[in-house]
Amino acid sequence: MIIRKSPREIEKIAAAGRLVAETIAHVGALLRPGITTEELDAAAGAFIRARGGIPTSEGYRGYPKAICISPNEVVVHGIPGAHVVREGDLVTIDVGVTLDGAIADSAYTFGVGEIDPEAQRLLDVAQEALAAGIEQAVVGNRVGDISHAVQEVVEGAGFSVVRSLVGHGVGRYYHEDPHIPNYGEPGRGPRLSEGMTIAIEPMITAGSSEVVVADDGWTISTADGSMAAHFEHTVAITADGPRILTPRVGVPNRVRSSTFRP
Ligand code: MF3
Ligand code: CO
């Protein structure tokens, strides 16, 4: 069942979304060679709580940490721990915040210091795919229009979309209907209507689209060890078009991410 939100509820999700974006920027500012993902997680959790939020991931289906941090070949759901960040890493910061009962969800893959040109292209393409998906998030379109737009950008650039992981409705719960796959046919799937709030999240790889789950039950990595990137926004479907509820706030210059797109 798809839950459509009132304008008042959307404003609450937007407030949660602002804190999500600020948290991603805060973690990005701390991201440097030598820091552990555990330290980044602790900083994120404290930052969110100091502003009256709750890290939505913490305790979600038994998830043990405040946010997900996924380095290099890890696609999603990396559990922060002893991993030491290195120059050249791609590090995905995936943050969910619950604020005043409303939930927003966003992810951003940072490049640490000097990164490989092909890794930079992976980041650019993933961001471009997210922007293309958001562009299709308009009243009257269908979920497949979003999915197809994402897939076209990614595969057109010679990269792969992970098929076993999808975006989702979000707002009242962390994961709501509908699923938002990153591949599909235009004109198929549920119709988009005013008040829907969805997380669009291309998860892409430089190699094959196959992924494996680690023994910890969470960490999902590329099967071939290739690099992955993941960009996510929470978006409201409005009469005026897509509204990004997790708009980016700046990241430090030493992080060589591509120019911001929505
Ligand atoms: N934020 C993730 C998403 O994009 C969900 C993480 S669930 C967790 O859907 F339990 F792993 F945190
Ligand atoms: Co999500």
Side-chain angles (χ1 to χ4, degrees), residues 57 60 63 68 77 94 105 168 174-175 201 218 232:
S57 294
Y60 179 79
Y63 184 77
C68 298
H77 304 167
D94 188 348
D105 185 9
H168 49 91
Y174 209 175
H175 295 118
E201 48 179 321
W218 286 103
E232 173 179 30

Side-chain angles (χ1 to χ4, degrees), residues 157-237:
F159 296 133
S160 302
V161 301
V162 175
R163 294 178 175 235
S164 56
L165 298 163
V166 297
H168 49 91
V170 63
R172 205 170 295 173
Y173 305 97
Y174 209 175
H175 295 118
E176 304 175 355
D177 289 339
H179 283 185
I180 315 285
N182 293 305
Y183 66 96
E185 300 296 326
R188 302 283 186 86
R191 198 176 283 285
L192 302 174
S193 60
E194 205 175 334
M196 288 174 60
T197 49
I198 56 176
I200 302 174
E201 48 179 321
M203 291 158 272
I204 82 169
T205 80
S208 115
S209 60
E210 296 306 310
V211 294
V212 290
V213 187
D215 289 342
D216 63 21
W218 286 103
T219 312
I220 298 180
S221 304
T222 59
D224 61 6
S226 64
M227 287 272 189
H230 174 206
F231 288 83
E232 173 179 30
H233 270 310
T234 294
V235 177
I237 313 294

Side-chain angles (χ1 to χ4, degrees), residues 59-231:
Y60 179 79
R61 298 179 183 228
Y63 184 77
K65 293 289 181 177
I67 65 172
C68 298
I69 305 182
S70 304
N72 299 321
E73 77 286 355
V74 182
V75 185
V76 287
H77 304 167
I79 303 176
H83 176 89
V84 179
V85 172
R86 288 158 306 181
E87 172 94 10
D89 279 354
L90 297 188
V91 180
T92 301
I93 305 299
D94 188 348
V95 177
V97 166
T98 307
L99 188 68
D100 196 12
I103 299 172
D105 185 9
S106 180
Y108 188 93
T109 304
F110 292 91
V112 181
E114 201 69 39
I115 66 171
D116 192 86
E118 193 63 357
Q120 183 62 54
R121 198 171 71 87
L122 188 71
L123 299 185
D124 293 347
V125 167
Q127 276 195 308
E128 197 180 311
L130 173 57
I134 291 170
E135 209 169 276
Q136 296 299 318
V138 298
V139 173
N141 268 3
R142 292 180 183 269
V143 167
D145 295 309
I146 297 173
S147 304
H148 183 73
V150 169
Q151 180 180 15
E152 285 281 300
V153 170
V154 176
E155 294 182 353
F159 296 133
S160 302
V161 301
V162 175
R163 294 178 175 235
S164 56
L165 298 163
V166 297
H168 49 91
V170 63
R172 205 170 295 173
Y173 305 97
Y174 209 175
H175 295 118
E176 304 175 355
D177 289 339
H179 283 185
I180 315 285
N182 293 305
Y183 66 96
E185 300 296 326
R188 302 283 186 86
R191 198 176 283 285
L192 302 174
S193 60
E194 205 175 334
M196 288 174 60
T197 49
I198 56 176
I200 302 174
E201 48 179 321
M203 291 158 272
I204 82 169
T205 80
S208 115
S209 60
E210 296 306 310
V211 294
V212 290
V213 187
D215 289 342
D216 63 21
W218 286 103
T219 312
I220 298 180
S221 304
T222 59
D224 61 6
S226 64
M227 287 272 189
H230 174 206
F231 288 83

